[in-house]
Amino acid sequence: MWAMILKEFLELRRDRRTMAMIIALPLLLLVIFGYAANFHVDELETRVVGPRAEQVAQQLSPPFDVASVRPDEGREDAEQALRSERAAVVIVTSDGGEKPKALIDGSQLFSAQSASAAVAASNGALEPEVLFNPQLKTSWVMVPALVGMIMAFIGTIVTAIGLVRERQAGTLEQLAVMPFRPSDVIAGKIAPYFVLAAVDMVLVTVIGCLLFGVPFTGNVAIFALGAALFLFVVLGLGVLISTLSQNQGQAMQMALMTVMPQILLSGMIFPLGAMAAGVRWIGYVLPLTYFNMISNGVMLRDAPVSSLALPLGVLALMAVLVFSAAVLRFRRDLAPGTPKRITAPRTSSPVGEGR
């Protein structure tokens, strides 16, 4: 029995990935939940428009953080600012004795809840109006985020496990005798996963809209472009993980360590604005963060492509970087080099030949 115990400890010490899961993951969860588990947004980026914009802006108190004052703008400009996510709250003022109206972006659930509470605490000085999610339904915000989470699971975990399984079975080594480039092998391997993930995305989106009444108000082409870029990123991560893993267990561990931070720090569960600065910046390097911006903006706010240029560009850059790293790693560890042309050695002519 003691020999078995000693053997298990020695195996655990040699398995660095398992030790990382046992030691690093609990510490990671502790730090994340300690600094990120905050549903209350303390600062709301606020825009004040209308004739009495400057006067009303001076009277606003926290959590309203006045970022801009535009006396020459009106209601239409205020809605466009919310749609483009240039502000969380826009205060619209008028010439008469009407109360200033606080337009609140309901697609940002936690910010909207904090804004509604702040407006209610103003003792009637502001009149609230919630746009894009008037009843502040949680399902309207969660369904766009769940689309990205499901694609992250399928793209990363299934791809990594599938490629490692083929590596263990010796299938990838059989490609060594074939004139394939590493990029050809990767493209051929991930194409089925891309198609399956795309089908799942369509099913989840359609069923979520029908079952929970979530509106799809934006451009389908913009949503499809963002989803395709995000799929390329997570599929590339799956390929990269497969090149770093020796078996399916290691691939599963690394994939979970990749997907879990995305779920916790992408703004899906905890608002990014309420996180500590150090943890928030981790969220800004995760691909799911930017897909959530795209899916939420397109489905709920009908956001124009100009306001989504940043998340689309970041996902495109991530796709290039991740796939480049996956191809380089695949070429070095799994795929053979470019086959060399074999030429017959030259032989010297016999003495007197040709005479």
Side-chain angles (χ1 to χ4, degrees):
M1 183 185 67
W2 287 111
M4 291 294 295
I5 292 174
L6 180 60
K7 180 187 76 70
E8 292 298 326
F9 273 114
L10 291 175
E11 289 184 355
L12 284 174
R13 188 180 66 181
R14 296 190 187 102
D15 191 351
R16 297 180 180 179
R17 293 181 176 86
T18 302
M19 291 299 295
M21 285 284 292
I22 295 174
I23 298 176
L25 188 58
L27 295 177
L28 178 65
L29 293 176
L30 174 65
V31 173
I32 289 176
F33 279 99
Y35 286 103
N38 184 9
F39 298 100
H40 183 71
V41 180
D42 296 324
E43 293 184 359
L44 299 169
E45 187 174 357
T46 305
R47 190 185 188 102
V48 187
V49 303
R52 294 189 295 129
E54 295 182 358
Q55 177 184 353
V56 173
Q58 294 176 356
Q59 299 174 355
L60 292 177
S61 58
F64 297 109
D65 182 16
V66 179
S68 62
V69 179
R70 304 294 177 88
D72 56 334
E73 294 183 355
R75 166 74 184 236
E76 184 177 350
D77 300 304
E79 293 184 2
Q80 188 60 33
L82 291 179
R83 184 170 286 109
S84 301
E85 210 172 6
R86 295 196 297 267
V89 181
V90 180
I91 309 296
V92 181
T93 64
S94 61
D95 283 326
E98 298 178 358
K99 295 180 182 179
K101 182 166 290 187
L103 301 183
I104 301 171
D105 180 8
S107 66
Q108 305 297 327
L109 182 62
F110 302 106
S111 297
Q113 291 174 343
S114 297
S116 299
V119 171
S122 66
N123 297 322
L126 298 173
E127 182 180 350
E129 181 178 349
V130 181
L131 303 180
F132 315 128
N133 186 7
Q135 299 178 2
L136 294 180
K137 292 183 178 179
T138 305
S139 59
W140 283 29
V141 179
M142 289 301 297
V143 168
L146 286 173
V147 174
M149 187 192 75
I150 292 171
M151 287 196 297
F153 265 105
I154 294 175
T156 304
I157 297 178
V158 178
T159 304
I161 294 177
L163 290 177
V164 171
R165 182 175 60 247
E166 292 196 16
R167 181 183 180 183
Q168 287 182 288
T171 307
L172 292 180
E173 281 72 10
Q174 294 177 6
L175 300 176
V177 297
M178 299 181 182
F180 291 145
R181 295 174 299 179
S183 57
D184 297 332
V185 177
I186 292 177
K189 292 296 182 183
I190 69 172
Y193 299 111
F194 184 89
V195 173
L196 291 175
V199 172
D200 279 338
M201 179 204 69
V202 174
L203 288 176
V204 172
T205 304
V206 172
I207 294 175
C209 292
L210 295 177
L211 191 60
F212 298 101
V214 180
F216 197 109
T217 61
N219 192 319
V220 177
I222 299 175
F223 183 80
L225 175 61
L229 291 174
F230 178 68
L231 272 179
F232 277 120
V233 176
V234 296
L235 288 172
L237 286 174
V239 175
L240 192 58
I241 289 172
S242 70
T243 64
L244 298 171
S245 305
Q246 300 298 324
N247 51 59
Q248 296 183 49
Q250 292 180 357
M252 176 65 78
Q253 291 175 353
M254 295 186 66
L256 287 175
M257 293 184 68
T258 303
V259 173
M260 187 174 295
Q262 295 192 66
I263 297 174
L264 296 176
L265 300 179
S266 63
M268 174 181 174
I269 298 177
F270 309 112
L272 285 172
M275 297 180 186
V279 179
R280 187 188 314 145
W281 282 108
I282 298 175
Y284 286 135
V285 299
L286 301 176
L288 185 57
T289 301
Y290 297 97
F291 179 75
N292 286 343
M293 295 179 183
I294 297 170
S295 61
N296 189 291
V298 172
M299 293 181 67
L300 299 183
R301 299 195 310 272
D302 188 16
V305 67
S306 58
S307 67
L308 300 176
L310 176 62
L312 288 172
V314 172
L315 285 180
L317 178 61
M318 286 182 176
V320 173
L321 294 177
V322 171
F323 258 93
S324 299
V327 170
L328 292 175
R329 181 80 187 185
F330 194 86
R331 178 186 291 119
R332 189 184 74 177
D333 290 350
L334 297 181
T338 303
K340 296 180 180 180
R341 184 178 179 181
I342 300 175
T343 57
R346 294 184 178 181
T347 58
S348 59
S349 299
V351 178
E353 183 179 354
R355 292 181 181 178

Short mmCIF file of all heavy atoms in Angstrom, two decimals, residues 153-205:
data_model
loop_
_atom_site.label_atom_id
_atom_site.label_comp_id
_atom_site.label_asym_id
_atom_site.label_seq_id
_atom_site.Cartn_x
_atom_site.Cartn_y
_atom_site.Cartn_z
N PHE A 153 -16.98 26.18 -26.16
CA PHE A 153 -16.86 24.80 -25.71
C PHE A 153 -16.63 23.87 -26.89
O PHE A 153 -15.71 23.03 -26.87
CB PHE A 153 -18.12 24.37 -24.95
CG PHE A 153 -18.01 24.53 -23.47
CD1 PHE A 153 -18.66 25.57 -22.82
CD2 PHE A 153 -17.26 23.65 -22.71
CE1 PHE A 153 -18.55 25.73 -21.44
CE2 PHE A 153 -17.16 23.79 -21.34
CZ PHE A 153 -17.80 24.83 -20.70
N ILE A 154 -17.45 23.98 -27.92
CA ILE A 154 -17.33 23.07 -29.05
C ILE A 154 -16.00 23.29 -29.78
O ILE A 154 -15.27 22.35 -30.09
CB ILE A 154 -18.52 23.26 -30.01
CG1 ILE A 154 -19.82 22.83 -29.31
CG2 ILE A 154 -18.32 22.46 -31.29
CD1 ILE A 154 -21.05 23.09 -30.13
N GLY A 155 -15.69 24.55 -30.05
CA GLY A 155 -14.51 24.84 -30.84
C GLY A 155 -13.22 24.46 -30.14
O GLY A 155 -12.29 23.95 -30.78
N THR A 156 -13.13 24.68 -28.83
CA THR A 156 -11.88 24.43 -28.12
C THR A 156 -11.78 22.98 -27.65
O THR A 156 -10.82 22.26 -27.98
CB THR A 156 -11.76 25.37 -26.92
OG1 THR A 156 -11.87 26.73 -27.36
CG2 THR A 156 -10.41 25.20 -26.24
N ILE A 157 -12.75 22.52 -26.87
CA ILE A 157 -12.65 21.21 -26.24
C ILE A 157 -12.78 20.08 -27.26
O ILE A 157 -11.95 19.17 -27.31
CB ILE A 157 -13.71 21.08 -25.13
CG1 ILE A 157 -13.45 22.12 -24.03
CG2 ILE A 157 -13.71 19.68 -24.55
CD1 ILE A 157 -14.47 22.11 -22.92
N VAL A 158 -13.81 20.12 -28.09
CA VAL A 158 -14.04 19.02 -29.04
C VAL A 158 -12.90 18.94 -30.05
O VAL A 158 -12.42 17.84 -30.39
CB VAL A 158 -15.39 19.21 -29.75
CG1 VAL A 158 -15.60 18.11 -30.78
CG2 VAL A 158 -16.53 19.20 -28.74
N THR A 159 -12.43 20.08 -30.54
CA THR A 159 -11.33 20.06 -31.51
C THR A 159 -10.06 19.51 -30.89
O THR A 159 -9.36 18.67 -31.49
CB THR A 159 -11.08 21.48 -32.04
OG1 THR A 159 -12.28 21.99 -32.60
CG2 THR A 159 -10.00 21.47 -33.11
N ALA A 160 -9.72 19.98 -29.69
CA ALA A 160 -8.49 19.51 -29.04
C ALA A 160 -8.53 18.02 -28.78
O ALA A 160 -7.58 17.28 -29.08
CB ALA A 160 -8.28 20.27 -27.73
N ILE A 161 -9.65 17.52 -28.24
CA ILE A 161 -9.76 16.09 -27.93
C ILE A 161 -9.75 15.25 -29.20
O ILE A 161 -9.12 14.19 -29.28
CB ILE A 161 -11.03 15.82 -27.10
CG1 ILE A 161 -10.91 16.49 -25.72
CG2 ILE A 161 -11.28 14.34 -26.96
CD1 ILE A 161 -12.14 16.33 -24.87
N GLY A 162 -10.43 15.73 -30.25
CA GLY A 162 -10.48 14.97 -31.50
C GLY A 162 -9.11 14.82 -32.14
O GLY A 162 -8.73 13.72 -32.60
N LEU A 163 -8.32 15.87 -32.17
CA LEU A 163 -7.00 15.79 -32.78
C LEU A 163 -6.04 14.94 -31.93
O LEU A 163 -5.23 14.19 -32.47
CB LEU A 163 -6.44 17.20 -32.97
CG LEU A 163 -7.12 18.03 -34.06
CD1 LEU A 163 -6.52 19.43 -34.11
CD2 LEU A 163 -7.01 17.37 -35.41
N VAL A 164 -6.13 15.05 -30.61
CA VAL A 164 -5.27 14.23 -29.75
C VAL A 164 -5.64 12.77 -29.89
O VAL A 164 -4.77 11.89 -29.88
CB VAL A 164 -5.37 14.71 -28.29
CG1 VAL A 164 -4.67 13.73 -27.37
CG2 VAL A 164 -4.76 16.09 -28.14
N ARG A 165 -6.93 12.47 -30.02
CA ARG A 165 -7.35 11.07 -30.20
C ARG A 165 -6.76 10.49 -31.48
O ARG A 165 -6.30 9.34 -31.50
CB ARG A 165 -8.88 11.00 -30.23
CG ARG A 165 -9.40 9.58 -30.37
CD ARG A 165 -10.90 9.51 -30.27
NE ARG A 165 -11.54 10.29 -31.32
CZ ARG A 165 -12.25 11.39 -31.11
NH1 ARG A 165 -12.40 11.86 -29.88
NH2 ARG A 165 -12.82 12.04 -32.11
N GLU A 166 -6.75 11.28 -32.55
CA GLU A 166 -6.16 10.79 -33.78
C GLU A 166 -4.64 10.64 -33.64
O GLU A 166 -4.04 9.75 -34.24
CB GLU A 166 -6.49 11.75 -34.93
CG GLU A 166 -7.95 11.75 -35.30
CD GLU A 166 -8.19 12.40 -36.65
OE1 GLU A 166 -7.21 12.56 -37.39
OE2 GLU A 166 -9.34 12.73 -36.95
N ARG A 167 -4.04 11.51 -32.89
CA ARG A 167 -2.60 11.39 -32.68
C ARG A 167 -2.26 10.11 -31.91
O ARG A 167 -1.30 9.41 -32.25
CB ARG A 167 -2.10 12.62 -31.91
CG ARG A 167 -0.59 12.61 -31.66
CD ARG A 167 -0.20 13.81 -30.83
NE ARG A 167 1.23 13.83 -30.59
CZ ARG A 167 1.84 14.73 -29.85
NH1 ARG A 167 1.13 15.70 -29.27
NH2 ARG A 167 3.13 14.68 -29.66
N GLN A 168 -3.06 9.81 -30.88
CA GLN A 168 -2.82 8.58 -30.13
C GLN A 168 -3.07 7.33 -30.99
O GLN A 168 -2.40 6.31 -30.81
CB GLN A 168 -3.73 8.53 -28.90
CG GLN A 168 -3.34 9.50 -27.79
CD GLN A 168 -4.25 9.39 -26.59
OE1 GLN A 168 -5.41 9.78 -26.61
NE2 GLN A 168 -3.72 8.82 -25.52
N ALA A 169 -4.02 7.41 -31.89
CA ALA A 169 -4.32 6.27 -32.76
C ALA A 169 -3.31 6.12 -33.89
O ALA A 169 -3.33 5.11 -34.60
CB ALA A 169 -5.73 6.42 -33.34
N GLY A 170 -2.43 7.10 -34.07
CA GLY A 170 -1.41 7.02 -35.12
C GLY A 170 -1.88 7.53 -36.47
O GLY A 170 -1.16 7.41 -37.46
N THR A 171 -3.09 8.13 -36.52
CA THR A 171 -3.60 8.60 -37.81
C THR A 171 -2.78 9.77 -38.34
O THR A 171 -2.50 9.84 -39.55
CB THR A 171 -5.07 9.04 -37.66
OG1 THR A 171 -5.80 7.98 -37.06
CG2 THR A 171 -5.67 9.40 -38.99
N LEU A 172 -2.40 10.69 -37.46
CA LEU A 172 -1.64 11.85 -37.92
C LEU A 172 -0.27 11.45 -38.44
O LEU A 172 0.25 12.05 -39.38
CB LEU A 172 -1.50 12.87 -36.78
CG LEU A 172 -2.79 13.56 -36.33
CD1 LEU A 172 -2.50 14.53 -35.21
CD2 LEU A 172 -3.43 14.29 -37.50
N GLU A 173 0.33 10.42 -37.83
CA GLU A 173 1.64 10.00 -38.30
C GLU A 173 1.58 9.40 -39.71
O GLU A 173 2.56 9.40 -40.44
CB GLU A 173 2.24 8.97 -37.32
CG GLU A 173 2.85 9.56 -36.06
CD GLU A 173 1.80 10.10 -35.09
OE1 GLU A 173 0.60 9.85 -35.32
OE2 GLU A 173 2.19 10.78 -34.12
N GLN A 174 0.42 8.87 -40.08
CA GLN A 174 0.29 8.32 -41.42
C GLN A 174 0.37 9.41 -42.49
O GLN A 174 0.68 9.14 -43.65
CB GLN A 174 -1.05 7.58 -41.55
CG GLN A 174 -1.14 6.33 -40.69
CD GLN A 174 -2.49 5.66 -40.78
OE1 GLN A 174 -3.34 6.08 -41.56
NE2 GLN A 174 -2.70 4.62 -39.98
N LEU A 175 0.08 10.65 -42.07
CA LEU A 175 0.17 11.76 -43.02
C LEU A 175 1.61 12.12 -43.36
O LEU A 175 1.86 12.91 -44.25
CB LEU A 175 -0.53 13.00 -42.44
CG LEU A 175 -2.02 12.83 -42.13
CD1 LEU A 175 -2.56 14.09 -41.47
CD2 LEU A 175 -2.80 12.52 -43.39
N ALA A 176 2.56 11.52 -42.61
CA ALA A 176 3.97 11.83 -42.85
C ALA A 176 4.43 11.38 -44.23
O ALA A 176 5.40 11.91 -44.78
CB ALA A 176 4.84 11.19 -41.78
N VAL A 177 3.77 10.39 -44.81
CA VAL A 177 4.18 9.89 -46.11
C VAL A 177 3.40 10.55 -47.24
O VAL A 177 3.54 10.15 -48.40
CB VAL A 177 3.98 8.36 -46.17
CG1 VAL A 177 4.86 7.68 -45.14
CG2 VAL A 177 2.52 8.00 -45.95
N MET A 178 2.58 11.54 -46.91
CA MET A 178 1.77 12.20 -47.92
C MET A 178 2.25 13.63 -48.11
O MET A 178 2.70 14.28 -47.16
CB MET A 178 0.28 12.19 -47.51
CG MET A 178 -0.28 10.79 -47.36
SD MET A 178 -2.04 10.81 -46.91
CE MET A 178 -2.36 9.06 -46.75
N PRO A 179 2.14 14.17 -49.30
CA PRO A 179 2.66 15.52 -49.58
C PRO A 179 1.69 16.62 -49.13
O PRO A 179 1.20 17.41 -49.94
CB PRO A 179 2.83 15.51 -51.10
CG PRO A 179 1.76 14.58 -51.59
CD PRO A 179 1.65 13.50 -50.54
N PHE A 180 1.40 16.65 -47.82
CA PHE A 180 0.51 17.66 -47.29
C PHE A 180 1.32 18.71 -46.54
O PHE A 180 2.27 18.39 -45.84
CB PHE A 180 -0.52 17.04 -46.32
CG PHE A 180 -1.52 16.15 -47.00
CD1 PHE A 180 -2.01 15.03 -46.36
CD2 PHE A 180 -1.98 16.45 -48.27
CE1 PHE A 180 -2.93 14.21 -46.97
CE2 PHE A 180 -2.91 15.63 -48.89
CZ PHE A 180 -3.39 14.51 -48.24
N ARG A 181 0.89 19.96 -46.65
CA ARG A 181 1.45 21.01 -45.83
C ARG A 181 0.72 21.03 -44.48
O ARG A 181 -0.44 20.62 -44.41
CB ARG A 181 1.30 22.36 -46.52
CG ARG A 181 2.09 22.50 -47.82
CD ARG A 181 1.77 23.80 -48.51
NE ARG A 181 0.35 23.87 -48.86
CZ ARG A 181 -0.21 24.92 -49.46
NH1 ARG A 181 0.52 25.97 -49.77
NH2 ARG A 181 -1.50 24.92 -49.74
N PRO A 182 1.36 21.51 -43.41
CA PRO A 182 0.67 21.59 -42.11
C PRO A 182 -0.62 22.40 -42.17
O PRO A 182 -1.60 22.04 -41.53
CB PRO A 182 1.72 22.25 -41.22
CG PRO A 182 3.03 21.89 -41.83
CD PRO A 182 2.80 21.85 -43.31
N SER A 183 -0.62 23.49 -42.95
CA SER A 183 -1.84 24.29 -43.06
C SER A 183 -2.96 23.49 -43.72
O SER A 183 -4.13 23.63 -43.36
CB SER A 183 -1.56 25.57 -43.84
OG SER A 183 -1.03 25.26 -45.13
N ASP A 184 -2.61 22.62 -44.70
CA ASP A 184 -3.63 21.79 -45.34
C ASP A 184 -4.22 20.79 -44.34
O ASP A 184 -5.44 20.56 -44.32
CB ASP A 184 -3.03 21.02 -46.52
CG ASP A 184 -2.53 21.95 -47.61
OD1 ASP A 184 -3.09 23.05 -47.73
OD2 ASP A 184 -1.60 21.57 -48.33
N VAL A 185 -3.35 20.20 -43.52
CA VAL A 185 -3.82 19.22 -42.54
C VAL A 185 -4.74 19.89 -41.53
O VAL A 185 -5.82 19.37 -41.20
CB VAL A 185 -2.61 18.57 -41.83
CG1 VAL A 185 -3.10 17.60 -40.75
CG2 VAL A 185 -1.74 17.83 -42.83
N ILE A 186 -4.34 21.06 -41.03
CA ILE A 186 -5.16 21.75 -40.03
C ILE A 186 -6.50 22.15 -40.62
O ILE A 186 -7.56 21.97 -40.01
CB ILE A 186 -4.40 22.98 -39.50
CG1 ILE A 186 -3.19 22.54 -38.67
CG2 ILE A 186 -5.32 23.85 -38.63
CD1 ILE A 186 -2.35 23.68 -38.17
N ALA A 187 -6.49 22.70 -41.85
CA ALA A 187 -7.74 23.12 -42.49
C ALA A 187 -8.67 21.93 -42.69
O ALA A 187 -9.88 22.02 -42.46
CB ALA A 187 -7.44 23.80 -43.82
N GLY A 188 -8.10 20.80 -43.13
CA GLY A 188 -8.93 19.62 -43.33
C GLY A 188 -9.50 19.07 -42.04
O GLY A 188 -10.62 18.54 -42.02
N LYS A 189 -8.73 19.16 -40.95
CA LYS A 189 -9.19 18.61 -39.68
C LYS A 189 -10.26 19.48 -39.02
O LYS A 189 -11.18 18.97 -38.38
CB LYS A 189 -8.00 18.45 -38.73
CG LYS A 189 -7.00 17.37 -39.15
CD LYS A 189 -7.64 15.99 -39.14
CE LYS A 189 -6.65 14.93 -39.52
NZ LYS A 189 -7.27 13.59 -39.59
N ILE A 190 -10.13 20.81 -39.13
CA ILE A 190 -11.06 21.68 -38.40
C ILE A 190 -12.30 22.02 -39.21
O ILE A 190 -13.27 22.54 -38.63
CB ILE A 190 -10.37 22.98 -37.95
CG1 ILE A 190 -10.07 23.87 -39.18
CG2 ILE A 190 -9.12 22.70 -37.15
CD1 ILE A 190 -9.58 25.24 -38.81
N ALA A 191 -12.31 21.75 -40.51
CA ALA A 191 -13.48 22.10 -41.32
C ALA A 191 -14.76 21.45 -40.79
O ALA A 191 -15.80 22.13 -40.67
CB ALA A 191 -13.24 21.73 -42.78
N PRO A 192 -14.76 20.15 -40.44
CA PRO A 192 -16.01 19.58 -39.90
C PRO A 192 -16.43 20.22 -38.58
O PRO A 192 -17.63 20.43 -38.36
CB PRO A 192 -15.65 18.10 -39.70
CG PRO A 192 -14.50 17.85 -40.63
CD PRO A 192 -13.73 19.12 -40.64
N TYR A 193 -15.46 20.53 -37.72
CA TYR A 193 -15.81 21.17 -36.44
C TYR A 193 -16.37 22.57 -36.68
O TYR A 193 -17.28 23.02 -35.96
CB TYR A 193 -14.58 21.24 -35.54
CG TYR A 193 -14.01 19.90 -35.18
CD1 TYR A 193 -12.78 19.48 -35.68
CD2 TYR A 193 -14.70 19.01 -34.35
CE1 TYR A 193 -12.26 18.24 -35.36
CE2 TYR A 193 -14.19 17.77 -34.03
CZ TYR A 193 -12.96 17.39 -34.53
OH TYR A 193 -12.44 16.17 -34.22
N PHE A 194 -15.85 23.27 -37.68
CA PHE A 194 -16.37 24.60 -38.01
C PHE A 194 -17.82 24.51 -38.45
O PHE A 194 -18.67 25.30 -38.03
CB PHE A 194 -15.51 25.23 -39.10
CG PHE A 194 -15.90 26.64 -39.45
CD1 PHE A 194 -15.35 27.72 -38.78
CD2 PHE A 194 -16.83 26.89 -40.46
CE1 PHE A 194 -15.72 29.01 -39.10
CE2 PHE A 194 -17.21 28.18 -40.77
CZ PHE A 194 -16.65 29.25 -40.09
N VAL A 195 -18.12 23.53 -39.31
CA VAL A 195 -19.49 23.37 -39.80
C VAL A 195 -20.43 23.00 -38.66
O VAL A 195 -21.53 23.58 -38.52
CB VAL A 195 -19.53 22.31 -40.91
CG1 VAL A 195 -20.97 22.02 -41.32
CG2 VAL A 195 -18.72 22.78 -42.12
N LEU A 196 -20.02 22.06 -37.80
CA LEU A 196 -20.87 21.64 -36.69
C LEU A 196 -21.10 22.80 -35.70
O LEU A 196 -22.22 23.00 -35.21
CB LEU A 196 -20.24 20.45 -35.97
CG LEU A 196 -20.21 19.13 -36.74
CD1 LEU A 196 -19.45 18.07 -35.95
CD2 LEU A 196 -21.64 18.66 -37.03
N ALA A 197 -20.04 23.56 -35.40
CA ALA A 197 -20.19 24.69 -34.49
C ALA A 197 -21.09 25.76 -35.09
O ALA A 197 -21.88 26.38 -34.38
CB ALA A 197 -18.82 25.27 -34.15
N ALA A 198 -21.00 25.97 -36.41
CA ALA A 198 -21.87 26.95 -37.06
C ALA A 198 -23.33 26.51 -37.00
O ALA A 198 -24.23 27.32 -36.76
CB ALA A 198 -21.43 27.15 -38.51
N VAL A 199 -23.57 25.21 -37.21
CA VAL A 199 -24.95 24.69 -37.11
C VAL A 199 -25.47 24.86 -35.69
O VAL A 199 -26.62 25.29 -35.47
CB VAL A 199 -24.99 23.22 -37.54
CG1 VAL A 199 -26.36 22.61 -37.25
CG2 VAL A 199 -24.67 23.10 -39.03
N ASP A 200 -24.65 24.55 -34.69
CA ASP A 200 -25.07 24.73 -33.30
C ASP A 200 -25.36 26.19 -33.00
O ASP A 200 -26.30 26.51 -32.26
CB ASP A 200 -23.97 24.21 -32.36
CG ASP A 200 -24.03 22.70 -32.19
OD1 ASP A 200 -25.11 22.13 -32.44
OD2 ASP A 200 -23.01 22.10 -31.82
N MET A 201 -24.54 27.07 -33.55
CA MET A 201 -24.77 28.50 -33.32
C MET A 201 -26.13 28.94 -33.86
O MET A 201 -26.89 29.66 -33.20
CB MET A 201 -23.66 29.32 -34.00
CG MET A 201 -23.82 30.83 -33.85
SD MET A 201 -22.98 31.74 -35.16
CE MET A 201 -23.98 31.32 -36.59
N VAL A 202 -26.45 28.49 -35.07
CA VAL A 202 -27.74 28.85 -35.66
C VAL A 202 -28.89 28.28 -34.83
O VAL A 202 -29.88 28.97 -34.55
CB VAL A 202 -27.81 28.35 -37.12
CG1 VAL A 202 -29.21 28.59 -37.68
CG2 VAL A 202 -26.77 29.05 -37.97
N LEU A 203 -28.76 27.02 -34.41
CA LEU A 203 -29.83 26.39 -33.62
C LEU A 203 -30.03 27.12 -32.29
O LEU A 203 -31.17 27.41 -31.90
CB LEU A 203 -29.49 24.92 -33.37
CG LEU A 203 -29.59 23.98 -34.56
CD1 LEU A 203 -29.13 22.58 -34.18
CD2 LEU A 203 -31.03 23.94 -35.08
N VAL A 204 -28.94 27.39 -31.58
CA VAL A 204 -29.05 28.06 -30.28
C VAL A 204 -29.64 29.45 -30.45
O VAL A 204 -30.50 29.88 -29.65
CB VAL A 204 -27.68 28.12 -29.59
CG1 VAL A 204 -27.73 28.99 -28.35
CG2 VAL A 204 -27.21 26.73 -29.23
N THR A 205 -29.21 30.17 -31.47
CA THR A 205 -29.72 31.53 -31.68
C THR A 205 -31.21 31.52 -32.00
O THR A 205 -31.99 32.28 -31.42
CB THR A 205 -28.94 32.22 -32.82
OG1 THR A 205 -27.54 32.20 -32.52
CG2 THR A 205 -29.39 33.66 -32.97
#
